[in-house]
Amino acid sequence: MTQSSNQTPVNLLTYSFKNPLWPPNFINADNVLNYFCDPANIFYDKSSCNAMLMMQMGNQFLDNNFIQNQLINMRGIQYVVVGVSHPMYIICKQARNSREEVTPHCYYYVMNGVVYQCPDMYSSIQSRLVSALHPMKKALTEVIDLCRFNVAKGYSWEFKNKVIKKDDDEEEREFEDPVQARSTNFQRSRTEQLIKIMMQKHSIPENNTQK
């Protein structure tokens, strides 16, 4: 009795294929399908119509136009060239149900002799969002470390050249003077000046004795 195991599907977006026996400048619109339909290519389905056609023709070199004309009369998974802009070529993996009906499954592009899988819309948007959220998360983390809260003053910011993180035990041991917490430096210095002025104006003469 065999137990079925859940296998994680391989993310082909992280893979690429290159045949070192093919110089990049040798690849053109006529032979790019022959280059793509390599058994060593991880993106190539060996049970596709292209593989069956190449086996029937004795694995010889096939022109792109000849392949396209033959695939129209076949049913199943096929690879066709849908875009040419040297040195980039776009290949579509499609399922042909009839001569007129095809269902695209995936797209690949060949750039300078290297085959890549085109990312889908979900993967592209996800990558952009992750790239945008990472610096935002880093900025918010630094802002939280610079934020201070006091019951009397409320929230304030403490910007320093270097932020020193303290443990929870050290923060609990810190004690703040109630006088310092309820008044600012301006209020304390101004109050002292006013008291001195009042003392000078209303000071008691030294020769004044109580009768």
Side-chain angles (χ1 to χ4, degrees), residues 9-165:
V10 179
N11 185 10
L12 296 179
L13 294 175
T14 60
Y15 288 84
S16 63
F17 169 76
K18 181 178 181 180
N19 189 345
L21 301 179
W22 283 62
N25 56 356
F26 181 72
I27 301 174
N28 52 45
D30 294 330
N31 59 16
V32 65
L33 268 182
N34 290 269
Y35 178 78
F36 182 88
C37 297
D38 190 324
N41 185 2
I42 190 174
F43 307 112
Y44 179 56
D45 188 354
K46 300 177 181 63
S47 62
S48 62
C49 297
N50 298 68
M52 296 174 58
L53 181 61
M54 295 185 68
M55 290 179 60
Q56 293 175 2
M57 302 302 296
N59 292 326
Q60 62 181 348
F61 178 82
L62 301 178
D63 183 75
N64 183 39
N65 294 329
F66 175 80
I67 296 176
Q68 301 275 26
N69 294 331
Q70 294 297 321
L71 291 178
I72 294 178
N73 301 320
M74 304 177 71
R75 305 292 180 268
I77 299 298
Q78 302 177 355
Y79 296 93
V80 294
V81 179
V82 295
V84 176
S85 180
H86 185 77
M88 185 178 70
Y89 306 92
I90 301 176
I91 297 175
C92 176
K93 178 182 180 181
Q94 62 185 16
R96 180 174 292 278
N97 302 320
S98 64
R99 291 179 61 90
E100 294 79 15
E101 183 182 356
V102 292
T103 304
H105 285 186
C106 188
Y107 289 90
Y108 308 92
Y109 63 96
V110 183
M111 175 68 73
N112 293 325
V114 184
V115 183
Y116 305 93
Q117 178 175 325
C118 297
D120 54 280
M121 186 65 68
Y122 172 79
S123 301
S124 180
I125 295 177
Q126 183 185 36
S127 177
R128 295 294 181 89
L129 289 177
V130 171
S131 301
L133 291 177
H134 178 70
M136 185 180 298
K137 180 181 178 181
K138 183 178 179 181
L140 291 176
T141 303
E142 295 181 358
V143 167
I144 291 175
D145 295 336
L146 299 175
C147 180
R148 299 291 182 269
F149 176 76
N150 185 277
V151 178
K153 299 179 183 179
Y155 286 97
S156 61
W157 301 98
E158 183 178 353
F159 296 99
K160 296 181 179 179
N161 295 332
K162 184 177 181 181
V163 179
I164 302 176
K165 295 184 178 180

